[in-house]
Amino acid sequence: MSPLDLLVVAPLVFMVLSLLAGGWQRSLLALAIATMAALSVWLMTLDPGTAHVVGGWELPLGVLLRADGLAQMLVPAVTLTAGLTGLYALHQFAPESHASNAQTAAFWPLYYLMWSAANAAFLTTDLFNLYVTLEMASIAAVAMAAMGSVRAALRYLLIALLGSIFYLLGVALILSRYGTVDVTLLAGMAEADFATALALALMTGGLLVKAALFPLHGWLPPAHAAAPAPASALLSGLVVKIGFVITVRLWFEGLAAAATPAGLHVLGGIGALAILFGSLQAIRQESLKALVAYSTVAQIGYLFLAFPLIAGAGHAWAGLSFHAVAHMIAKAAMFLAAGLMLKAAAGPRIADLAGLARAMPLTVTAFGLAAVSLMGLPPSGGFSAKFLLVDAALRQGQAIHAAVMLIGGLLAAVYLFRPLAVAFSGSETPAVPAKAPSMVAAPLALALAALLLGFAGGPLAELATGGAPATVAQEPPPSLENTVKTASEDAQ
Amino acid sequence: MEALATGHLFALTGAVLVGLGLFGFITLRHALRQLLAVNVSGAGVFLMLGGLGRGAATTDPFPQALVITGIVVAVALTAFGAALILRQAEEDHAAKEDDERGGKT
């Protein structure tokens, strides 16, 4: 047995147990969090690149699970995000709560299924197995979205299914061309011919739908805004990252031979448009959850804007991994805090939040701290990520990329200050029903984690670059202090 | 030569099915029809995958194993989609009845 196996299998075991647990969901969740936390720590101690074939079937037939730097960062982040979101959800979907019984019964299996799908997606290198994990994630995500709005969930499901068809078509082309679907084997075999480029384009198209990259993001805001708060946190934090990570594995490892600079720049350009469009839409929203959902559309843009910067000077790869983790944690914190604020507020609009900062200071603080990370203000994790990306863009002379990232940060400040300003406005203190302590603590802990991530910048960036694919610029592992020093020397 | 021709037959039929499904998905508005259109496309992809393993003398079971897995996944998602469509229809129906009752009183 290896932690790589267990990280995928254990949540599935918990999924089955959650169907039988009845009133024992609380104990089961505690057991799940302890197990997954231990496995995540074990994963982080593995040498980067440690791999394990499932069931002893050797490649090219078997399925490879591998702990590279990206997985070693994202899987523990999933444990943190899913674990704390689970603690919050315990009160919303507890057997004794007033939520309808069907929802209570349905939430927990879906929650563990999504956890397993996310871990499997970040650890697997087998393209067909990744198709299966994409569909696992889709079922869990759509069913969770359906708890809010069936119409939005149905739209999400149909578009996700279409994305899967495109992805699978690409996989079929790769299988017929190379006879294998394993990313590590493809990395040594892939050639820059028409079939490979077509397969890459098809798979990327399908994955961008799942990652909700502009202009394929249409399904995301209604689905994420309507879902219950813990479901929104998981949808925006975990699910969109799955499509992104698979895209990264294709473009920089498996099919890197066919990934032309022009293609990378197209993805980067779409990412830039996503940042601007998502931010402007977020500014226009009247409803708090729609604002947070459009912020996800914008933040996904950063992940793809980094694509053309990966191969050049600087530490774009570390910045990319860092941003994925920082956004996952901060956005989950923000959705959970928003959920609590909306329960206390008179209505779903931002204007209804007046006075909440006095009524629920801890929750509004969590929202504010998450906003600090999403805006990219120091010393948060979001700052470290954006600093590494902007620094890489400037070193490579990509002034437009750097400018878009800085403008995106300013726009994020514009849309995130608005709900905060309203929450601090007014002179009355609305009466707020008391909340379970863990429900208040979960978003606060996540927001603090997103903030503290910035202090662990150096070691985490080192972790991210461990086992990075050969196409990534290999420079000595960055530490933020050194980068600041060189940047100021460059300036002089 | 004949084996080559049948191999192409699978791939070409698959491509036609994918194209038909896509056309259906774009032109049809009802969710149930769109779900069926996606299934037609999926059948096309599975046909291509299935045809890949066909050799002159032996058959490579690997693509077949993938197709079987893919069909299982596709069936599960189709059933799930159909259940969602049913739920949506029930909600729409209930909303309509509410409207009519509201209109009479």
Side-chain angles (χ1 to χ4, degrees), chain A residues 60-61 126 128 131-132 135 138-140 142-143 146 150-154 157-159 161-162 164-166 168-169 171-173 175-176 179-181, chain B residues 18 22 25 31 34-35 38 41-43 45-46 48-49 52 62-63 65-67 69-70 73-74 76-78 80-82 84-85 87-88 91-92:
Chain A
L61 207 57
D126 182 289
F128 191 81
Y131 162 72
V132 178
E135 298 300 54
S138 287
I139 285 208
V142 171
V150 176
R151 191 175 298 279
L154 193 54
L157 175 71
L158 286 168
I159 201 78
L161 280 175
L162 195 66
S164 300
I165 296 291
F166 276 102
L168 199 58
L169 200 55
V171 175
L173 271 176
L175 182 63
S176 73
T180 179
V181 288
Chain B
V18 171
L22 270 181
F25 188 86
Q34 287 188 316
L35 186 66
V38 170
S41 281
V45 178
F46 294 142
M48 282 186 208
L49 265 175
L52 287 180
F62 185 51
L66 297 190
V67 170
T69 315
V73 173
L77 277 157
T78 305
F80 177 56
L84 265 186
I85 292 169
R87 177 77 67 83
Q88 173 77 60
E91 277 186 9
D92 286 351

Side-chain angles (χ1 to χ4, degrees), chain A residues 137-218:
Chain A
S138 287
I139 285 208
V142 171
M144 280 193 185
M147 292 177 177
S149 155
V150 176
R151 191 175 298 279
L154 193 54
R155 189 171 164 200
Y156 179 9
L157 175 71
L158 286 168
I159 201 78
L161 280 175
L162 195 66
S164 300
I165 296 291
F166 276 102
Y167 177 79
L168 199 58
L169 200 55
V171 175
L173 271 176
I174 290 293
L175 182 63
S176 73
R177 173 74 179 78
Y178 297 105
T180 179
V181 288
D182 186 84
V183 168
T184 54
L185 293 181
L186 284 171
M189 297 160 80
E191 292 165 31
D193 56 8
F194 176 69
T196 314
L198 183 63
L200 181 62
L202 285 168
M203 286 193 268
T204 307
L207 292 168
L208 293 188
V209 172
K210 311 253 181 190
L213 183 66
F214 171 84
L216 303 170
H217 66 281

Side-chain angles (χ1 to χ4, degrees), chain B residues 14-34:
Chain B
V16 170
L17 282 174
V18 171
L20 273 175
L22 270 181
F23 177 75
F25 188 86
I26 295 166
T27 52
L28 299 170
R29 296 307 336 152
H30 194 280
L32 190 58
R33 290 173 193 268
Q34 287 188 316

Side-chain angles (χ1 to χ4, degrees), chain A residues 311-350:
Chain A
H315 305 292
W317 179 262
L320 180 88
S321 322
F322 223 116
H323 188 268
V325 170
H327 175 254
M328 181 188 290
I329 297 173
K331 188 49 65 71
M334 185 167 272
F335 261 121
L336 294 184
L340 282 180
M341 285 157 75
L342 288 177
K343 263 186 208 162
R349 290 177 310 126
I350 293 168

